[in-house]
């Protein structure tokens, strides 16, 4: 069987850094993915928030292949139209001033930290480079972003870690005020902690953080790698928090399935990032930018209203399922906490057996469906989840 062959070969040769599900995906269309032997799956993961238009959206695939036939790469020594077009559209939609293109979320966050430190260096000189992040955050897997990630579990094996990072509990403005000192240059946060369990920040707290950053001239870096590009029902989650960040990072859903990261900066931060301060061989690649432009083509106000309507339908359905204690999240970024004794990992495995792909985050089941899902897709997923949960009894504790 093809699946067995692929899995065995992968296990033999690919470094075992991932706990993969024991299934092979060979092709897909919309919300549906198919295995080599014809297995069919309803995908509520979108490749962890990446396939915003689902699998192989026609307009997206055509835009990407048209660009691949025209010009696939040039390096950043030359100008290309897809890159400048994407940058202009991102600035217009977010109110930010300029964009740096990277290739992943972690890389975008690295760029954000560099830009914040450069702003601070130019204005205040050396020694003001500290970045405060939140406990339970996730910012990536490179050494600096791993250090920025406020989860102790990530801070082992790979030290020495970067200096200049400190962590405070989300929601506690007093602790943040105390943590800021003369060496602090930035605060970095996710508005909905994704990997940390799909936990939205309190809007009042976010405004307090903004005010503190204004008072101390700190750069507020908002990591919208997961929440951005329509995921929460607005183009940026910042819009729902009425927040204008100094730096915002995007990645996952931006390319519709191709690797891209973006650092969006305000005019004052942009001023310090001149030639030679940052770079990337692949950043702004025309094929990848063509894919991202196809995603932006789709994400008009009408589309985002549809995302919000579908999110409300999904959330209401989840809240009615058996054994559900709480539904958290924003838009199509949802976490489900079950009653004690029901493990999200068991629910995930049972859903997979029935052809529904879902995720977990910490103790929660996590849903990140493609933004193009329909009412029918939601009903299908809820029926499967209902069957799975009806068949479960909380384990003896
Ligand atoms: C996924 C994620 C990252 C890391 O993105 P990569 O593309 O895996 O490097 C960073 N921040 C947040 C909030 C994420 O969800």
């Amino acid at each position: 069987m093809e699946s067995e062959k692929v899995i065995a070969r992968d296990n033999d040769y690919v470094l075992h850094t991932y706990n993969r599900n024991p299934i092979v995906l060979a092709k897909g269309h919309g919300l549906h993915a198919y295995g080599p032997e014809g297995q069919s799956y309803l995908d509520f993961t979108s490749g962890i928030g990446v396939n915003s238009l689902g699998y192989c959206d026609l307009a997206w695939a055509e835009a990407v292949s048209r660009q691949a036939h025209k010009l696939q790469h040039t390096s950043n020594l030359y100008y290309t139209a897809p890159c400048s077009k994407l940058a202009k559209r991102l600035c217009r939609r977010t109110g930010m001033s300029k964009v740096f293109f990277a290739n992943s979320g972690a890389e975008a966050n690295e760029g954000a930290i560099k830009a914040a430190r450069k702003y601070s260096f130019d204005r205040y000189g050396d020694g003001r480079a500290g970045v405060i992040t939140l406990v339970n955050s996730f910012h990536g897997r490179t050494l600096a972003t791993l250090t920025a990630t406020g989860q102790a579990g990530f801070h082992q094996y790979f030290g020495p870690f970067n200096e200049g990072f400190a962590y405070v509990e989300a929601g506690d403005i007093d602790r943040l005020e105390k943590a800021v000192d003369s060496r602090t240059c930035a605060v970095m946060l996710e508005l909905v902690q994704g990997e940390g369990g799909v936990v939205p920040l309190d809007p009042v707290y976010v405004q307090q953080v903004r005010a503190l950053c204004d008072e101390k001239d700190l750069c507020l870096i908002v990591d919208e790698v997961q929440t951005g590009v329509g995921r929460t029902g607005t183009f940026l989650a910042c819009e729902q928090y009425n927040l204008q960040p100094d730096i915002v990072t995007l990645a996952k859903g931006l390319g519709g399935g191709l690797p891209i990261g973006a650092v969006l900066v305000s005019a004052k931060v942009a001023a310090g990032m001149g030639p030679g301060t940052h770079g990337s061989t692949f950043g702004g690649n025309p094929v990848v930018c063509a894919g991202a432009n196809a995603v932006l083509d789709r994400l008009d106000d009408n589309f985002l209203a549809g995302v919000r309507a579908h999110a409300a339908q999904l959330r209401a359905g989840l809240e009615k399922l058996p054994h559900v204690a709480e539904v958290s999240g924003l838009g199509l970024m949802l976490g489900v906490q079950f009653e004690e004794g029901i493990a999200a990992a068991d629910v995930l495995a049972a859903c997979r057996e029935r052809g529904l792909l879902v995720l977990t985050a910490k103790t929660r089941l996590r849903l990140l469906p493609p933004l193009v899902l329909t009412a029918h897709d939601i009903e299908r997923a809820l029926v499967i989840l209902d069957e799975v949960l009806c068949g479960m009894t909380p384990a003896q504790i």
Side-chain angles (χ1 to χ4, degrees):
M1 251 174 38
E2 173 72 4
S3 286
E4 279 171 28
K5 191 178 106 188
V6 170
I7 290 171
R9 190 176 56 198
D10 194 289
N11 286 338
D12 282 346
Y13 292 107
V14 176
L15 200 63
H16 290 191
T17 61
Y18 302 106
N19 259 326
R20 296 197 206 276
N21 286 275
I23 61 176
V24 177
L25 300 179
K27 61 180 183 179
H29 181 70
L31 263 79
H32 296 274
Y34 303 95
E37 292 82 26
Q39 303 92 325
S40 161
Y41 305 97
L42 181 62
D43 187 343
F44 267 56
T45 75
S46 63
I48 318 189
V50 167
N51 299 330
S52 28
L53 306 181
Y55 289 107
C56 304
D57 174 81
L58 198 59
W60 175 87
E62 276 181 355
V64 167
S65 55
R66 229 181 298 124
Q67 185 59 44
H69 282 285
K70 227 195 252 174
L71 185 83
Q72 85 279 30
H73 176 79
T74 64
S75 86
N76 278 305
L77 299 175
Y78 309 100
Y79 294 92
T80 60
C83 171
S84 60
K85 181 177 176 188
L86 179 61
K88 178 178 177 183
R89 298 171 90 182
L90 287 174
C91 290
R92 290 269 168 103
R93 284 200 79 151
T94 61
M96 303 303 285
S97 174
K98 293 221 165 24
V99 185
F100 175 86
F101 288 114
N103 311 286
S104 68
E107 251 188 78
N109 287 337
E110 288 269 344
I113 294 164
K114 281 181 70 176
R117 286 183 171 171
K118 182 64 166 50
Y119 169 78
S120 185
F121 182 92
D122 290 346
R123 192 163 277 215
Y124 303 99
D126 225 347
R128 188 180 181 275
V131 178
I132 300 174
T133 69
L134 300 183
V135 171
N136 209 32
S137 58
F138 182 80
H139 297 297
R141 299 282 197 159
T142 62
L143 278 167
T145 58
L146 206 53
T147 314
T149 292
Q151 302 184 48
F154 285 94
H155 301 160
Q156 40 180 351
Y157 317 129
F158 307 112
F161 290 96
N162 294 56
E163 286 175 49
F165 289 89
Y167 318 96
V168 295
E169 287 288 343
D172 188 343
I173 193 69
D174 294 339
R175 290 288 289 277
L176 180 61
E177 271 169 16
K178 287 200 185 84
V180 172
D181 62 22
S182 61
R183 290 159 301 173
T184 310
C185 76
V187 175
M188 175 151 114
L189 48 80
E190 300 154 89
L191 292 172
V192 184
Q193 295 189 326
E195 307 301 312
V198 200
V199 190
L201 296 188
D202 172 13
V204 173
Y205 172 71
V206 171
Q207 289 305 325
Q208 289 169 330
V209 175
R210 178 69 271 182
L212 179 66
C213 289
D214 287 340
E215 184 196 323
K216 308 273 185 190
D217 197 20
L218 310 176
C219 285
L220 178 52
I221 305 171
V222 179
D223 178 348
E224 292 233 29
V225 165
Q226 192 163 150
T227 54
V229 198
R231 174 56 55 190
T232 66
T234 46
F235 187 74
L236 294 182
C238 279
E239 295 165 45
Q240 291 176 68
Y241 281 85
N242 196 19
L243 177 67
Q244 193 63 38
D246 301 297
I247 305 176
V248 59
T249 54
L250 301 175
K252 290 191 166 88
L254 179 57
L258 291 173
I260 186 168
V263 190
L264 282 58
V265 299
S266 66
K268 75 172 193 191
V269 176
M273 297 299 285
T277 53
H278 200 32
S280 162
T281 299
F282 287 114
N285 171 279
V287 176
V288 176
C289 287
N293 276 313
V295 171
L296 292 202
D297 285 343
R298 199 69 62 81
L299 261 61
D300 59 16
D301 289 345
N302 216 8
F303 182 94
L304 290 173
V307 169
R308 292 192 292 274
H310 288 132
Q313 183 197 349
L314 178 56
R315 193 176 186 122
L318 291 171
E319 279 165 353
K320 288 197 201 100
L321 292 174
H323 305 308
V324 169
E326 192 206 356
V327 179
S328 65
L330 205 59
L332 288 174
M333 183 174 174
L334 292 168
V336 183
Q337 182 69 53
F338 298 108
E339 294 164 355
E340 237 179 296
I342 303 278
D346 294 340
V347 177
L348 180 148
C351 285
R352 188 179 63 220
E353 290 302 309
R354 290 168 191 261
L356 175 67
L357 304 183
V358 294
L359 300 159
T360 58
K362 293 277 158 73
T363 60
R364 288 171 198 235
L365 197 74
R366 176 165 57 141
L367 303 178
L368 287 174
L371 307 183
V372 294
L373 86 176
T374 62
H376 179 73
D377 296 321
I378 294 170
E379 281 160 26
R380 280 287 306 139
L382 289 170
V383 164
I384 295 172
L385 276 163
D386 188 58
E387 283 170 11
V388 163
L389 289 164
C390 281
M392 287 189 157
T393 42
Q396 295 290 344
I397 308 151

